[in-house]
Amino acid sequence: MKLEHHYAALGDAFSSHVAIQPLHEQRLVECNQTLASFLEIDFKSPETRAILLGEESVPNSLSMVYAGHQFGGFSPQLGDGRGVLLGEIRAPDGRLYDLHMKGAGLTPYSRRGDGRAVLRSCIREYLASEAMAALQIPTSRALALFDSREAVYREIPEPGAMLLRSAHGHIRFGHFEYFFYQGKQDELQQLIDYCLKQYFPDALTAEQPLVAMLFEVVKRTAQMIAKWQSVGFQHGVMNTDNFSMTGETIDYGPYGFMEDFDEGWVCNHSDYEGRYAFSRQPGVGLWNLNCLMRCFSEHLSRDQLVAILQTYETQLQTHYDHLMMAKMGLQKQQDLHALLPPLLQLMSKEKMDYTLFFRLLSSLEQNDFAPILDEVIDREAMRDWLHEYQSVRLKEDGDWSSVSDAMLAVNPKFILRNYLAHEAIQAAERGDYLPFRRLLNVLNSPFADHDAANDLAQRAPEWGKSLEVSCSS
Ligand code: AMP
Ligand code: MG
């Protein structure tokens, strides 16, 4: 494992030196071999294990300091309260990847927290981030899961754990806010230069590199959120400290994947006002970008910043439309605009399962609507919609079955249902990781049939619909 230390080289204003503090009887229980080989990490190597288990410390490991708008209010100082950045690895694609351990112990930014993570939250992050990666959504990814015999106290004592994860970058919008609101323009400039060099090298050749970088951040954020909306992912805590400059989904907490379709759904039970409700995510993305842009008010004019922000909506809408057209097997945006709104209304009225509906639509025979009609109460309304849909599809190029094949390749059969995560967690807490591995396996290739795992592609039973998830874990 060849660790580099680029972020550490920025200096003390950006982080504090922190080492991994091992848990009692910590052991490696799962690792992501595909990603590990890509990053050339050998989990069998004694040196690597010693570093990851905190037996040997890395001279430059650190916790990052940042700020952030949390639920609309500004917190001038946050930071990795339980995370340690071990360093970066240069992968064969030439890019740097952060190696970050969650649950590694107290840091100067732990505030009232204990610096730890429980097995439940590490498993939730492992499953969700791998599911997102397989759905082609830029995301941090799980590399390894460690469990332990150490009790970590939440409402009740729970097994403590750590999650090793990797992302192209962990620099958050809140990093910029931290320096901007303290008037630390030199550090702000250092951070701009760092991001340009590490994440946006193409922007360096532009006439105004900062402007080019910000256009790209807006684009990546818009595309990330368009993808969330298309698969029904809800982040749950879209604070600016949980938004990465690289446009990767990070900080998996009380997230959720849409089951019964409901645009107003709020997955985070601590989000009392529904600030981060599913349908509000696109708007919050813009709100967060606005916070980020403010940090460059000494560098760029108001008009320039507004012009950059103005590209967001079109980027998001266009990307979302293309994703939804692919999901529905449509070729024209105008057809999507005619067919999608009434469909979503129907889905909402019928409380249809978002994932299963699109999968059913993908395998629908040209003249047999029964598989979908059998799922609804208002058969008349659904039949009308299906007729409209059918007539549009029949006017398009390509035969019905090849379009259906293309739809099956973009509409997952498997999604991370909350109750499935819950069952995998309960088993893992008893020391049985088989359900976790079985679930992970289908989430890693969610478009495949996995006939032996049909039980993992079903709607939640009643008890599984009311499970609560909230912020701190
Ligand atoms: P989040 O909204 O989950 O990203 O967390 C907000 C902040 O709280 C971040 O700075 C986290 O590092 C910190 N945090 C969350 N849980 C803990 C914990 N158990 N101990 C210390 N800090 C924590
Ligand atoms: Mg966070």
Side-chain angles (χ1 to χ4, degrees), residues 76-339:
Q77 197 209 286
L78 297 165
D80 297 327
R82 52 173 168 174
V84 167
L85 177 70
L86 289 166
E88 302 93 15
I89 288 183
R90 176 89 54 196
D93 65 359
R95 302 205 307 179
L96 285 180
Y97 288 85
D98 285 355
L99 220 57
H100 198 263
M101 188 72 94
K102 169 179 166 178
L106 286 173
T107 82
Y109 318 113
S110 297
R111 298 182 294 165
R112 287 187 300 276
D114 56 8
R116 294 303 186 188
V118 294
L119 183 59
R120 169 172 53 95
S121 73
C122 292
I123 287 186
R124 278 179 53 84
E125 175 162 343
Y126 201 127
L127 292 170
S129 59
E130 286 306 285
M132 294 284 270
L135 293 167
Q136 316 278 313
I137 302 177
T139 176
S140 67
R141 293 193 61 175
L143 258 169
L145 171 69
F146 301 85
D147 71 3
S148 78
R149 288 190 177 271
E150 189 158 326
V152 169
Y153 290 86
R154 293 297 176 255
E155 265 132 42
I156 49 164
E158 294 190 41
M162 287 193 207
L163 184 72
L164 181 67
R165 61 218 178 149
S166 173
H168 185 32
H170 278 94
I171 296 189
R172 299 146 195 270
F173 291 6
H175 273 81
F176 290 88
E177 294 180 291
Y178 176 72
F179 293 114
F180 173 73
Y181 286 103
Q182 292 180 77
K184 292 191 172 163
Q185 287 294 330
D186 292 345
E187 285 83 356
L188 195 64
Q189 189 59 50
Q190 251 187 295
L191 206 54
I192 295 171
D193 295 339
Y194 182 82
C195 282
L196 278 166
K197 179 165 176 237
Q198 304 299 4
Y199 308 129
F200 302 94
D202 292 349
L204 280 169
T205 53
E207 203 172 307
Q208 289 181 290
L210 174 60
V211 172
M213 173 169 91
L214 294 178
F215 269 118
E216 184 64 21
V217 174
V218 168
K219 179 174 151 198
R220 290 190 196 180
T221 305
Q223 295 199 347
M224 173 183 79
I225 295 178
K227 291 187 165 98
W228 291 1
Q229 301 306 111
S230 76
V231 300
F233 174 77
Q234 189 178 156
H235 183 281
V237 197
M238 293 173 72
N239 295 335
T240 55
D241 52 299
N242 291 337
F243 260 53
S244 163
M245 289 293 283
T246 55
E248 294 165 289
T249 310
I250 56 166
D251 285 24
Y252 290 87
Y255 66 80
F257 287 85
M258 182 82 80
E259 294 180 47
D260 295 353
F261 185 72
D262 170 12
E263 281 188 314
W265 176 47
V266 182
C267 62
N268 176 0
H269 283 78
S270 322
D271 181 4
Y272 306 111
E273 291 171 5
R275 181 181 173 89
Y276 299 141
F278 182 73
S279 60
R280 289 193 168 155
Q281 296 191 127
V284 175
L286 182 60
W287 197 91
N288 288 350
L289 283 163
N290 191 56
C291 289
L292 177 67
M293 294 304 150
R294 212 172 297 158
C295 301
F296 308 109
S297 49
E298 303 275 315
H299 299 78
L300 302 171
S301 72
R302 190 177 181 283
D303 286 351
Q304 276 177 305
L305 293 169
V306 169
I308 296 168
L309 275 176
Q310 272 172 344
T311 58
Y312 175 78
E313 200 178 331
T314 315
Q315 294 275 8
L316 194 146
Q317 189 68 51
T318 311
H319 199 62
Y320 177 75
D321 280 1
H322 282 101
L323 293 166
M324 295 311 288
M325 278 155 61
K327 275 177 94 67
M328 294 173 69
L330 299 175
Q331 289 165 356
K332 296 196 192 102
Q333 234 161 331
Q334 74 214 50
D335 289 333
L336 180 80
H337 293 164
L339 286 165

Side-chain angles (χ1 to χ4, degrees), residues 1 20 26 28 41 43 47-56 86 99 101 144 146 162 164:
M1 181 164 76
I20 292 177
Q26 188 174 328
L28 176 67
I41 299 172
F43 285 111
E47 294 82 30
T48 301
R49 285 178 93 97
I51 288 173
L52 298 178
L53 290 167
E55 293 159 6
E56 194 185 307
L86 289 166
L99 220 57
M101 188 72 94
F146 301 85
M162 287 193 207
L164 181 67

